[in-house]
Amino acid sequence: MIRPSLPPVPQEQDRNRSTRPTSTDWELIATAELLLKSLGYAVAQPDGVMDVATRAAVMKFQLDRRVPADGEVSGELLVTLAIEVLRRVPH
């Protein structure tokens, strides 16, 4: 009887590499997209994917806030976005 061969077991160093965003990355990006969209920045549906539109919206927000525009989503960016959203909520 011939058994199908299994894929090789990943080495320790390979297990630590990820070609896909982690769930945390996905959540950060999706949250940023949702907040950017609520502020009127051009992003597609919040899907957690760092595409061209998301990066451009992040950079536009950063430029509007006069901070270095790297187009990256970070915890600091999310806090800044959330504060801006809260500022615009009618009291």
Side-chain angles (χ1 to χ4, degrees):
M1 176 178 197
I2 298 174
R3 293 184 182 188
S5 61
L6 297 174
V9 176
Q11 300 300 316
E12 185 63 34
Q13 63 198 28
D14 293 334
R15 284 189 212 135
N16 294 329
R17 285 191 209 141
S18 176
T19 55
R20 293 188 221 158
T22 64
S23 62
T24 303
D25 292 340
W26 178 88
E27 291 165 349
L28 288 174
I29 294 166
T31 301
E33 289 172 324
L34 183 64
L35 293 169
L36 285 162
K37 189 171 184 124
S38 72
L39 292 170
Y41 289 88
V43 292
Q45 289 297 84
D47 59 5
V49 176
M50 182 57 102
D51 56 17
V52 173
T54 301
R55 189 172 305 280
V58 169
M59 289 182 75
K60 175 83 170 99
F61 176 78
Q62 291 169 324
L63 289 169
D64 290 348
R65 301 284 299 171
R66 293 187 171 101
V67 298
D70 61 4
E72 296 296 322
V73 174
S74 65
E76 183 179 346
L77 175 75
L78 291 180
V79 169
T80 305
L81 284 166
I83 289 169
E84 189 61 32
V85 168
L86 290 173
R87 282 187 182 148
R88 295 184 185 194
V89 173
H91 299 300

